[in-house]
């Protein structure tokens, strides 16, 4: 926090394509520096001046850098007109956390005293963190006059923004403040009095094309900005105006995973019919069998159903074959003493029968007249016991038995689906599997299968198809949300729509830093979301970002969170961070335990070099060796932009930061991303 004794710091950012190419053409830095030395040399120190081209991302980067450095005031000049290249308000607007419409009015009001063309300027002003940002026109004269109009109020505003005690500052009342600022209240606005200039002249870049604010002549502000309730004229601002600091400290991988665990919603429960789409779900209830298996007494051999037992005559002897029981539905007559019935494996025993004699223990005696059926059969043994060769009702599953437990998964390979099907369970409560939406950002990104050659600057989108296949490969539904342009508002709209359709959103940044920097303010300010981390100490994947957006559940309208991951802008890092961070969140939402990739010990078949600073997740091929050990081979170059180095990789070696190498023949931990294939 700045104290009155220490000087306040200011950064001057000139936004001009021309001057960024040839700094000698710039006249604004001297003009604005002059204002500081004329009006506030004892209070102010200009810590940075720089010249930036007309690019949203370049402007945002410069603003964020200055904010990170903790300057009290950022002044931009240029790019506030209506020309196509004028993007300063679009770049600065999303970064502002508290709007300062009063300063905007003050600057416009003073300019309108000088020229009606002031309506052609689109300034924005406000606070980010503890830094005040104001945007001035691009002409040296206009910029100077606008700055002069509000200059004397700026130190007060900056002190407040940096956490100064406003009550103390207000001691002595508004009059005292005005006196200190060299302005008078009442009839005149602070702006014109402070600026004290009179000549008419042109302002800004956009003069000559009339798309003005229309009829907005010389508004007079009657309150000081700091005396107004916090308010906003920014339509992109969401319902939550709570001040948020987003310092994005560097988290360890373990802390990042802990944050994901803490902020990913618990699974929701849905009832689904038992059909093949159930595979991949986890049960949210114990399942009891509604019926027994088998549901009838069934033969386990081909042979003859007989009546055996203490009070029956011996089964040895020749008997008429009274009926036939095949494995099919239908009623049977009761078997009488002295009769037998031909029966096939799995067929129901006729009523009255106690046992089955296998066909091997019998001889055919006679056939029916037409020769097609057996008439009499001799049974060669008298040792048949009651129940012999019979599968009793419920001998596999008794009605009422718990056949599966809450938390157990229904896999494609485990036979769980068959078990549910066998006892006639028609529907079950399971955890809803999350639906995952994937989008890419950046005007330079084109669909990977776009016809024709790339135009200069275009990049084929590899992240989105890569992620979509990874999600589907891990058994979750993926929704393609397409490519979002860098146009203001496009990202917000896409994210807002997505929260109604999907549970998890994955964005993968374009190639430039600027787009990521647009994501964070959009999440926090426009959507009322919260960024839980924005940097992780790992390689690759350092800029991985995890956030949640408050959302209403589509199931019951309750308040839940949509989970957002912003993954780094290249496919290899995307795949690593998907498996490391996204998968555990999907597993939590789906009730899958344990979460994330399986962790195994592998034997290195070659040396691997460690990264000095960061824990590394090194792509590798792991194979099951004939020696009963899993062997790992690095897939070569690990530079994060090399999708080629990912080919064939089914695992990530977990390598701690450190000096030197881990030698061939040593064991390391690995995360299995895919199936184990082949032998070594
Ligand atoms: C299976 O159940 C799902 C609901 O989970 C339903 O949408 C689908 O139509 C069902 N499929 C069949 C073949 O009945």
């Amino acid at each position: 926090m700045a104290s009155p004794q220490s000087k306040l710091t200011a950064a001057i950012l000139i936004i001009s394509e021309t001057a960024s190419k040839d700094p000698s053409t710039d006249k604004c830095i001297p003009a604005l520096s002059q204002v500081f030395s004329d009006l506030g040399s004892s209070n102010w120190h200009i810590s940075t001046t720089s010249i930036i081209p007309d690019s949203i991302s370049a402007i945002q980067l410069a603003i964020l850098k200055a904010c990170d450095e903790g300057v009290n005031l950022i002044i931009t000049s240029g790019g506030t007109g209506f020309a196509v290249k004028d993007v300063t308000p679009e770049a600065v607007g999303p970064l502002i956390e508290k709007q300062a419409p009063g300063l905007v009015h003050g600057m416009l009001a003073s300019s309108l005293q000088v020229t009606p063309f002031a309506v052609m300027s689109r300034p924005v002003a406000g606070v980010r963190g503890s830094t005040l940002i104001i945007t001035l026109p691009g002409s040296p004269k206009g910029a100077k006059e606008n700055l002069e109009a509000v200059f004397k109020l700026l130190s007060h505003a900056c002190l407040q923004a940096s956490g100064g005690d406003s009550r103390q500052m207000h001691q002595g009342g508004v009059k005292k403040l005005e006196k200190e600022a060299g302005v008078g209240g009442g009839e005149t606005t602070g702006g014109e009095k402070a600026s004290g200039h009179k000549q008419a002249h042109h302002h800004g870049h956009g003069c000559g094309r009339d798309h003005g604010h229309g009829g907005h002549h010389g508004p007079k502000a009657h309150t000081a900005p700091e005396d107004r309730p916090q308010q906003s004229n920014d339509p992109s601002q969401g319902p939550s105006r709570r001040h948020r600091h987003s310092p994005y400290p560097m988290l360890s991988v373990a802390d990042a995973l802990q944050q994901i665990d803490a902020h990913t919603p618990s699974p929701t429960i849905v009832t689904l019919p038992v059909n093949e789409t159930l595979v991949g779900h986890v049960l949210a209830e114990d399942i009891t069998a509604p019926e027994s298996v088998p549901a009838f007494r069934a033969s386990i051999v081909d042979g003859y159903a007989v009546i055996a037992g203490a009070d029956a005559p011996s089964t040895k002897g020749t008997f008429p074959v009274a009926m036939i029981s095949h494995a099919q539905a239908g009623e049977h007559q009761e078997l009488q003493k002295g009769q037998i019935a031909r029966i096939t494996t799995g067929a129901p025993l006729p009523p009255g029968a106690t046992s089955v004699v296998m066909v091997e223990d019998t001889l055919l005696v006679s056939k029916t007249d037409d020769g097609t059926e057996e008439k009499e059969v001799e049974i060669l043994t008298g040792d048949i016991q009651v129940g012999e060769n019979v599968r009793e009702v419920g001998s596999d599953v008794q009605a009422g038995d718990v056949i599966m437990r809450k938390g157990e998964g229904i896999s494609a390979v485990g036979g769980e689906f068959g078990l549910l099907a066998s006892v006639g369970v028609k529907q079950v409560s399971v955890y809803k599997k999350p639906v995952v939406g994937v989008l890419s950002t950046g005007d330079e990104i084109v669909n990977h299968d776009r016809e024709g050659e790339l135009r200069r600057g275009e990049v084929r989108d590899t992240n989105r198809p890569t992620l979509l296949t990874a999600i589907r490969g891990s058994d979750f539904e993926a929704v393609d949300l397409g490519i979002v342009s860098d146009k203001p508002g496009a990202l917000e709209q896409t994210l807002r729509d997505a929260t109604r359709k999907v549970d998890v959103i994955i964005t993968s940044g374009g190639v430039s830093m600027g787009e990521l920097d647009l994501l964070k303010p959009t999440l926090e300010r426009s959507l009322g979301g919260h960024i839980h981390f924005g940097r992780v100490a790992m390689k690759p994947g350092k800029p991985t970002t995890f956030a949640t957006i408050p959302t209403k559940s589509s199931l019951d309208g309750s308040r839940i969170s949509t989970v957002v991951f912003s993954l780094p802008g290249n496919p290899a890092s995307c795949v690593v961070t998907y498996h490391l961070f996204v998968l555990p969140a999907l597993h939590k939402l789906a009730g899958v335990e344990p979460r994330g990739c399986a962790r195994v010990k592998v034997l290195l078949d070659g040396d691997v070099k460690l990264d000095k600073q960061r824990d590394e997740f090194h792509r590798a091929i792991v194979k099951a060796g004939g020696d009963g050990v899993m062997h790992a081979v690095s897939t070569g170059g690990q530079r994060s932009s090399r999708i080629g180095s990912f080919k064939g990789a089914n695992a990530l070696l977990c390598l701690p930061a450190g000096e030197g190498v881990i030698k061939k023949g040593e064991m390391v931990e690995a995360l299995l991303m895919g199936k184990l294939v082949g032998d070594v």
Side-chain angles (χ1 to χ4, degrees), residues 272-273 275 277:
L272 290 183
N275 70 24
T277 60

Side-chain angles (χ1 to χ4, degrees), residues 8-33:
L8 293 161
T9 50
I12 298 175
L13 309 178
I14 306 304
I15 293 150
S16 159
E17 204 67 44
T18 321
S20 72
K21 295 200 181 94
D22 180 2
S24 71
T25 61
D26 172 65
K27 306 273 184 295
C28 281
I29 294 177
L32 293 173
S33 305

Side-chain angles (χ1 to χ4, degrees), residues 2 31 93 96 111 175 194 197 199 328 401 449 512 524 569 603 626 653:
I96 287 178
S111 298
K175 284 275 177 270
H197 58 246
Q199 300 89 10
Q328 64 190 33
D401 280 357
D449 53 0
S512 67
E524 290 196 314
L603 184 81
L653 304 180

